[in-house]
Amino acid sequence: MRLIAGPCQHENLDLSTEIAQECKDICDKYNIEYYFKASYDKANRTHIDSKRGKGRLQDTLFDLSKIKKEVDVNILTDVHDREQLRTLLFFFDKTIDVIQIPAFLCRQTDLIVDASKSGKIINIKKGQFLAPWDIDGVLSKTKGAKDVWITERGTSFGYNRLVVDFSGMVHMLRNLGNSLVYDGTHSVQRPGGGGDKSDGDSGYVPSMLRAAAALGVQSFFIEVHPDPLSSPSDGPNMLELSKLDEVVEQILEFSYVHKSQSVV
């Protein structure tokens, strides 16, 4: 099993280190492959006044370098354009293990092609506007990539609403196997549902993760925070860090059900 977990955006070194250490301890406890995630720039915020991150790309990447060394974790972060990608690879090539392509950019051809030449694992968030089988077109742009993961994070269903198409997830599982990642926290987001910001309901996160595990998903993406509502972004749909251990245990239990009953 693989877990990608961390805060929505990097706020400061102490907080991200605390989150990374707690997540790593839980993953070590259950013998799970762990990747710490944090965004240095939330470029797709709902409103111009929304907080995007620490500011300079290099500031956050220096902090991620310290976390990688101190906590001994793999690091995942996202890029929004080719210039950011070049900066990341030139100055922080040894820091980043996985380059993430945000959902709104999952059809951005030049960015995906360049990321695929980086020698890194590429995690592409499946856009809320894509059908499950449309991911084939995205994958056609990843020739030469070290490895490619596709993260399902819900599908647009009218205004300010996402739904998770589990039949579509079965389709992707059959074609992608363990390269399919399920994002249980963004799936319960209500984009723009808070007026000048997004809303969500983290109370649904554990059950959504259990359902995905029962289907046969083995890779999970969960945004976590010690105090989600104090986070500058995605607070309503993030999982409280203190609940992660219990949720991971549930995921493993439902994964066992899948293996014993062959649901897919």
Side-chain angles (χ1 to χ4, degrees), residues 139-170:
L139 291 171
S140 72
K141 305 172 185 181
T142 62
K143 184 178 180 179
K146 178 180 180 181
D147 196 7
V148 182
W149 304 340
I150 300 295
T151 297
E152 168 62 40
R153 47 82 37 89
T155 302
S156 295
F157 184 73
Y159 300 118
N160 309 129
R161 185 75 174 173
L162 297 175
V163 298
V164 176
D165 175 8
F166 283 100
S167 63
M169 200 180 298
V170 170

Side-chain angles (χ1 to χ4, degrees), residues 126 131-137 139-140 142 147-151 166-181 215-217 264:
K126 174 181 160 289
W133 38 90
D134 289 342
I135 207 66
D136 291 344
L139 291 171
S140 72
T142 62
D147 196 7
V148 182
W149 304 340
I150 300 295
T151 297
F166 283 100
S167 63
M169 200 180 298
V170 170
H171 172 87
M172 289 190 287
L173 262 175
R174 288 172 174 167
N175 288 276
L176 298 172
N178 288 341
S179 293
L180 175 65
V181 181
L215 280 183
V217 175
V264 174

Side-chain angles (χ1 to χ4, degrees), residues 37-216:
K37 67 81 51 185
S39 296
Y40 55 79
D41 178 21
K42 301 302 293 183
N44 60 348
R45 298 304 307 276
T46 303
H47 194 276
I48 188 66
D49 294 328
S50 299
K51 185 174 176 59
R52 290 176 54 165
K54 290 186 69 174
R56 291 197 326 135
L57 161 63
Q58 290 90 335
D59 291 341
T60 294
L61 290 174
F62 274 120
D63 282 355
L64 293 179
S65 297
K66 294 175 183 176
I67 293 168
K68 185 179 184 70
K69 182 177 180 180
E70 180 177 336
V71 187
D72 188 25
V73 290
N74 299 305
I75 300 288
L76 175 150
T77 197
D78 41 9
V79 293
H80 303 92
D81 57 50
R82 297 164 81 188
E83 182 179 352
Q84 287 184 353
L85 177 62
R86 285 191 290 268
T87 299
L88 185 152
L89 293 174
F90 187 81
F91 293 104
F92 298 93
D93 180 64
K94 294 183 179 180
T95 296
I96 307 302
D97 299 282
V98 183
I99 296 171
Q100 180 167 283
I101 307 297
F104 286 124
L105 298 176
C106 70
R107 292 180 60 177
Q108 203 73 9
T109 300
D110 291 341
L111 178 59
I112 295 173
V113 169
D114 283 3
S116 298
K117 297 175 181 176
S118 67
K120 308 291 183 183
I121 299 169
I122 311 300
N123 182 42
I124 302 175
K125 287 290 196 80
K126 174 181 160 289
Q128 302 92 313
F129 43 85
L130 285 185
W133 38 90
D134 289 342
I135 207 66
D136 291 344
V138 176
L139 291 171
S140 72
K141 305 172 185 181
T142 62
K143 184 178 180 179
K146 178 180 180 181
D147 196 7
V148 182
W149 304 340
I150 300 295
T151 297
E152 168 62 40
R153 47 82 37 89
T155 302
S156 295
F157 184 73
Y159 300 118
N160 309 129
R161 185 75 174 173
L162 297 175
V163 298
V164 176
D165 175 8
F166 283 100
S167 63
M169 200 180 298
V170 170
H171 172 87
M172 289 190 287
L173 262 175
R174 288 172 174 167
N175 288 276
L176 298 172
N178 288 341
S179 293
L180 175 65
V181 181
Y182 175 58
D183 180 346
T185 44
H186 284 99
S187 291
V188 302
Q189 185 187 67
R190 290 194 283 269
D196 61 350
K197 59 185 178 181
S198 291
D199 199 358
D201 190 341
S202 62
Y204 291 113
V205 169
S207 57
M208 302 295 277
L209 291 166
R210 292 195 300 268
L215 280 183

Side-chain angles (χ1 to χ4, degrees), residues 217-231:
V217 175
Q218 287 292 302
S219 298
F220 299 88
F221 183 111
I222 309 174
E223 287 192 336
V224 294
H225 195 283
D227 182 14
L229 294 183
S230 72
S231 171

